[in-house]
Amino acid sequence: MASFHVIAGARETQDHTRIRKIYVADLFDALRRGVDDFMVKPSHLVFLCMIYPIVGVVLAAWTSGNNALPLLFPLVSGFALVGPFAAIGLYEISRRREDGLDTSWKHAFDVRHSPALPSIAAVGIMLLAIFITWLLTAQAFYQQLFGPEPPDSISSFINEIFATGRGWTLIVVGHAIGFIFAVVVLCTTVIAFPLLLDRDVGAYEAVHASVRAVLANPISMAIWGLIVATLLIIGSLPLLAGLAVVLPILGHATWHLYRKVIEPLPSGSTRHRASPKRA
């Protein structure tokens, strides 16, 4: 790592990326390219992403055994909030394939050599803070409706949620609150991590570029968010096992979405690429 920089990037100045207009057809083309990347070596990528369904099962067991059932849904749905950071290795695989390099799964960890690693960590910490805030908000809202006492059993908890008025209030309003958190994450990180992986521009510009990308393409980005949410719901059934396929596809597709949204650098410009190992 040549120098420690977080906010401004390698040049110690605020490099401004140029945003392009994209359309719905671009979203599905990015998704198609993501599927294509996944199919190159699916066994390796499934191995990398099996951690998500495994963690989901562990979380379910933990919340059940510790009378923390009300946190099960916020914990599982919170995967979507930290997903952009967790998919960094998948962006690297897509980048390497795009450049005609070896795409063995071991290269998913090449991000550790990135000069932008401090910036990547900073945006990751931001996502972690949003995730924790979501959990605290969900817990506070549940306790406001049901009180601080934990449910007596799983069956009584399910009955309270689906057979009472306050349970449906929790479902409707809880999803609305979660939607707000998801929109914040989409707006601030939709292309932030791929941008940092490709160009060492600093954490501020990565987040700022994501916000500008959403503002420049509000309808397309809203549809992208809907696509991501729908695929995550499908991947969560049954028992989150489908996420082992859905998550890598979305990770690869996000890289190609980034390529469509951000204009290439002018010829002769320095990219400050995150992975100096090219072979």
Side-chain angles (χ1 to χ4, degrees), residues 83-251:
F85 176 75
I88 288 177
L90 300 171
Y91 309 147
E92 175 66 6
I93 295 296
S94 287
R95 184 192 70 78
R96 293 183 66 86
R97 183 172 184 242
E98 184 179 271
D99 288 350
L101 301 175
D102 178 34
T103 56
S104 299
W105 67 266
K106 63 182 179 181
H107 292 294
F109 302 99
D110 281 356
V111 68
R112 70 187 187 276
H113 302 298
S114 170
L117 190 58
S119 300
I120 291 172
V123 182
I125 291 171
M126 181 192 76
L127 283 185
L128 179 61
I130 294 174
F131 174 67
I132 293 174
T133 303
W134 156 241
L135 291 181
L136 293 175
T137 302
Q139 182 181 33
F141 184 55
Y142 175 86
Q143 291 183 351
Q144 182 180 1
L145 291 174
F146 292 90
E149 294 299 320
D152 296 330
S153 64
I154 295 179
S155 59
S156 65
F157 174 72
I158 294 175
N159 183 68
E160 282 281 357
I161 296 299
F162 293 103
T164 66
R166 60 182 179 176
W168 281 103
T169 299
L170 178 68
I171 292 173
V172 174
V173 179
H175 275 82
I177 296 173
F179 174 77
I180 294 173
F181 279 90
V183 169
V184 170
V185 170
L186 176 70
C187 291
T188 55
T189 65
V190 63
I191 58 167
F193 291 108
L195 175 57
L196 287 172
L197 187 66
D198 190 46
R199 309 178 193 175
D200 186 10
V201 297
Y204 175 83
E205 176 57 21
V207 172
H208 188 225
S210 289
V211 173
R212 289 188 290 120
V214 172
L215 292 177
N217 301 281
I219 295 178
S220 296
M221 288 301 182
I223 294 174
W224 178 250
L226 180 61
I227 291 173
V228 170
T230 300
L231 290 178
L232 288 176
I233 292 172
I234 294 173
S236 298
L237 304 173
L239 297 177
L240 308 181
L243 294 180
V245 173
V246 169
L247 285 169
I249 289 176
L250 287 176

